[in-house]
Amino acid sequence: MTQLNETHAPRLTSWVTSANNNSDFPIQNLPFAVFRRSGSDEVMRGGVAIGDQVLDMAAAAGAGVFEGEALAAAKAAAQSSLNALMALGPDTNAALRLALSRALRSGAAAQSSLANCLVPQAAVEYDLPCRIGDYTDFYTSIHHATAIGSLFRPDSPLLPNYKWVPIGYHGRASTIGVSGQTFPRPVGQTKAPDANEPSFGPCKRLDYELEMGIFVGRGTALGERIDIDAAEAHVFGLCLLNDWSARDIQAWEYQPLGPFLAKNFASTISPWIITLEALAPYRSAFERPAEDPQPLPYLTSDFNTAHGNIDIQLECLIETAQMRAAGEAPARLSSSSFRHSYWTAAQMLTHHSVTGCAMNPGDLLGSGTQSGPQPEEAGSILELTGGGKRPITLPNGEQRTFLEDGDSIVMRGYCQRDGAARIGFGEVVATVLPARV
Amino acid sequence: MTQLNETHAPRLTSWVTSANNNSDFPIQNLPFAVFRRSGSDEVMRGGVAIGDQVLDMAAAAGAGVFEGEALAAAKAAAQSSLNALMALGPDTNAALRLALSRALRSGAAAQSSLANCLVPQAAVEYDLPCRIGDYTDFYTSIHHATAIGSLFRPDSPLLPNYKWVPIGYHGRASTIGVSGQTFPRPVGQTKAPDANEPSFGPCKRLDYELEMGIFVGRGTALGERIDIDAAEAHVFGLCLLNDWSARDIQAWEYQPLGPFLAKNFASTISPWIITLEALAPYRSAFERPAEDPQPLPYLTSDFNTAHGNIDIQLECLIETAQMRAAGEAPARLSSSSFRHSYWTAAQMLTHHSVTGCAMNPGDLLGSGTQSGPQPEEAGSILELTGGGKRPITLPNGEQRTFLEDGDSIVMRGYCQRDGAARIGFGEVVATVLPARV
């Protein structure tokens, strides 16, 4: 999955000219989403981003452009959820990528057939890209784990298992929504440190978490383990993920079985899934600090050591209701990168399945909050404000310790370096509504 | 849901005469499963248990016996998963129950039409009764929580939140199987207390957990809360649940985000879902010890206090490979009851949704291990053996501290008292296979 081929060539351009101007979606990207025209009652179907357009895969699959494996994959990509496409596995997915690259390239004969299969992104609405059977959230930033741990457990911020076990927990699939999601501020039980009894009411410490989402491609049966060297063949692609968190609910409920209501009210993903193949130019070595233990053999492979990391630049912004009303641009809260992850996507998937846990196409793994080593690279407001003790001042003078009603959080991601095409993730936006009381 | 009506009358008998002899499935029960003839390639479809037979709902729905709401429900019950039936809600489900009761009653005119819609239970195989979108496991036995807590955290066995919060965590839906499930012993990371580093290999402390499963009926949208008084209208029914657990993996991984791989390799449910309406004669008051705090108002209602409990007798048995080879009956490990639950089904569902978490028809809530107050009423072998320190001796002389390869665990449940028909749950059986190494 790190082999470069003709689809990655930086010089490639598309006859969809908006793809050629430092777009998130150049011809080297070709991510998948599920969409329809905004406000229409059209059926949802798969689409591929190219520049500022969506290639409607339902239309494209019938345009006579694709054949063989690529046609089979194009038909799967035309469905209202991408699970069938994901299940086809990397070779068939690669065949479709190659065919799409050739058909969308400048000068391609397919231009005449596909030109009327385009819909402007500005005119579409998205759905979840697939049925997410199970959602698992990991905890792979050691910087986040240490920072959060010092707030929840000052005596033992980083627990003894952290450097050995890719810590994760099962999440709630029913409340995962696509970018544009809104949700009421959760209510629930909390207990002030000095109170004798818990109280009930709207969450006062509402937070976001800046994460990567990893979609499982080809699945496994119960009892089957995914070898570390085979793991990437079971990954379809990546998206952006905001794993909303209610910190005050979490603090009171999470012992001994982990976060539950603190996390089950909403999680928001970006509409576009960037395939692992598109990310090939941005792979790098997976390195552990020399003083840290090396992973156990089942989590180690030469491939993972040489190529495990993916340098995805991440940024998180806030747009308050006041900023929105004034027409001001969202303000940046922090920047980070997926390269700070203490565990790779392959290690997460291998660990997850080591017990024989069945993985299904469309299952979603969250990376955990991707905080970087510097305090300003924190992926949650809890970290940025030192547990709510040091308010942030926004450019318009507003202050925040935690999120307020009407706040939208925007997350963006992209890969960029000299000698390779930019691979963008687009963005994920979601907005906090007032609690229903 | 506690109102008795003509379907509960103890004197009722069925023209399916095997239903009339202290069966788990008398005419007062009428539980649902999904089945086909064993070894056939028939489509899976819904069925209703009556005595030792299954009423094939696909055949029955076309037999001209049902009409109106009951016919709509019968058609939903004929599908290959029961999600649509569950979504119809309690009134429509009650209409089908009444129609089934009248059609299967001794002397019913429908006998001639339905007699050839029966398939012997001995000749069928079951599937999961529905698509389980999300699975949540609670922790509602205070006896279990205290016993487990004293093994994992001797200093603080019962945490301060236990009596306030119905503690739960999200589980893995992809590995839930129906009775008859087999699974390889999980492998994973463990760390001996005196070891410097973790090791990798097959689980050495494999355990079962005796639980009730609660199936969500009518669902809710994101942002919607389920009021405690409305909660039972969102419960379709109950089943038996064995929530297999790898204790050594759990001990090393569970801090700080809860059980993950220790629980994700298999969970087994009984094929039959007993509707809440069938359990009406076995409801009783939900009582807290006077010295314990009363639940917060959102978890309290007069109805829940007066009727929240359900007295379901539970038993757990083991059949080792040696016993199976010798043709010996399974040996009882323990007995308990769902009435020992510290939280009711309504409280679990209300708490789960209080943040606005969307609940979908077919979602499964596990009650947590239903250990009773006496040591011999423990619902896990970890408790029965004092953390693996006091082996159990089985009737054939074999000993167990934890489960061995080839062991089958059998769980049974039933409601029984004078003046009401027995309502049985049937059983759930599953077998541990050797680890794949």
Side-chain angles (χ1 to χ4, degrees), chain A residues 133-134 161 164 168 170 172-174 187 189 223 225 252 255 260-261 264 298 351-352 354-355 357-358 363 436, chain B residues 133-134 161 164-165 168 170 172-174 187 189 223 225 252 255 260-261 264 298 351-352 354-355 357-358 363 436:
Chain A
D134 277 294
N161 57 10
W164 297 99
H170 300 119
R172 180 81 189 175
S174 74
V187 302
Q189 276 192 50
R225 292 209 294 271
W252 173 231
Q255 292 272 23
F260 175 37
L261 301 196
N264 77 354
Y298 79 102
H351 182 68
H352 199 317
V354 72
T355 51
C357 179
D363 285 349
R436 295 187 194 166
Chain B
D134 277 293
N161 57 9
W164 296 98
V165 179
H170 301 118
R172 181 81 190 172
S174 73
V187 302
Q189 277 192 49
R225 293 209 294 270
W252 173 231
Q255 292 272 23
F260 175 37
L261 302 196
N264 77 354
Y298 79 102
H351 182 68
H352 200 318
V354 74
T355 51
C357 180
D363 285 348
R436 295 186 194 166

Side-chain angles (χ1 to χ4, degrees), chain B residues 36-389:
Chain B
R36 67 178 172 194
R37 283 184 175 77
S38 301
S40 76
D41 59 358
E42 293 176 354
V43 291
M44 288 285 178
R45 67 273 191 187
V48 171
I50 180 75
D52 61 8
Q53 303 290 308
V54 181
L55 180 68
D56 179 341
M57 288 305 296
V65 170
F66 306 112
E67 56 188 24
E69 262 192 306
L71 179 59
K75 287 178 178 171
Q79 297 183 18
S80 60
S81 78
L82 300 178
N83 300 74
L85 177 69
M86 295 167 155
L88 292 174
D91 292 346
T92 307
N93 292 155
L96 178 57
R97 175 179 167 85
L98 179 61
L100 283 166
S101 174
R102 289 178 176 170
L104 290 168
R105 235 168 252 187
S106 300
Q111 178 174 353
S112 58
S113 307
L114 293 184
N116 58 1
C117 301
L118 297 174
V119 185
Q121 286 167 26
V124 309
E125 59 191 17
Y126 299 101
D127 201 349
L128 286 177
C130 58
R131 293 180 308 277
I132 300 170
D134 277 293
Y135 164 47
T136 302
D137 198 27
F138 282 88
Y139 196 54
T140 68
S141 164
I142 196 168
H143 312 294
H144 173 72
T146 305
I148 294 283
S150 70
L151 295 170
F152 278 75
R153 295 173 307 278
D155 297 339
S156 56
L158 197 68
L159 294 169
N161 57 9
Y162 188 85
K163 293 182 179 179
W164 296 98
V165 179
I167 295 290
Y169 63 104
H170 301 118
R172 181 81 190 172
S174 73
T175 47
I176 301 174
V178 75
S179 185
Q181 185 176 37
T182 61
F183 60 89
R185 174 181 297 272
V187 302
Q189 277 192 49
T190 57
K191 189 176 141 327
D194 56 349
N196 288 323
E197 297 191 354
S199 56
F200 180 80
C203 166
K204 292 176 181 157
R205 293 164 69 93
L206 185 63
D207 201 355
Y208 59 88
E209 292 194 328
L210 173 63
E211 303 199 13
M212 296 304 306
I214 300 157
F215 277 105
V216 174
R218 203 170 54 200
T220 57
L222 187 151
E224 198 177 330
R225 293 209 294 270
I226 299 178
D227 186 84
I228 182 77
D229 271 325
E232 290 202 358
H234 292 273
V235 173
F236 179 76
L238 278 66
C239 69
L240 302 168
L241 167 64
N242 183 348
D243 190 46
W244 300 93
S245 299
R247 300 298 182 191
D248 43 358
I249 294 173
Q250 185 175 354
W252 173 231
E253 75 168 4
Y254 92 105
Q255 292 272 23
L257 300 182
F260 175 37
L261 302 196
K263 299 281 193 168
N264 77 354
F265 55 93
S267 310
T268 319
I269 61 172
S270 57
W272 294 105
I273 306 179
I274 314 303
T275 63
L276 210 50
E277 189 174 3
L279 295 166
Y282 294 95
R283 305 298 298 261
S284 63
F286 165 70
E287 287 162 354
R288 277 281 170 85
E291 66 274 21
D292 282 3
Q294 291 308 299
L296 290 183
Y298 79 102
L299 295 174
T300 304
S301 78
D302 290 346
F303 175 87
N304 191 65
T305 303
H307 306 288
N309 264 349
I310 314 177
D311 188 11
I312 304 170
Q313 310 289 320
L314 300 169
E315 58 181 37
C316 185
L317 308 95
I318 187 169
E319 182 190 66
T320 68
Q322 190 178 313
M323 292 163 68
R324 196 154 46 241
E328 292 164 7
R332 182 178 301 191
L333 293 168
S334 68
S335 303
S336 186
S337 168
F338 188 41
R339 76 170 177 276
H340 298 308
S341 180
Y342 198 76
W343 299 98
T344 68
Q347 288 171 325
M348 290 181 231
L349 191 53
T350 294
H351 182 68
H352 200 318
S353 75
V354 74
T355 51
C357 180
M359 307 302 301
N360 289 313
D363 285 348
L364 180 64
L365 313 186
S367 64
T369 311
Q370 292 303 302
S371 300
Q374 302 305 319
E376 64 272 20
E377 293 171 318
S380 70
I381 203 166
L382 182 70
E383 292 164 82
L384 290 174
T385 63
K389 296 200 184 94

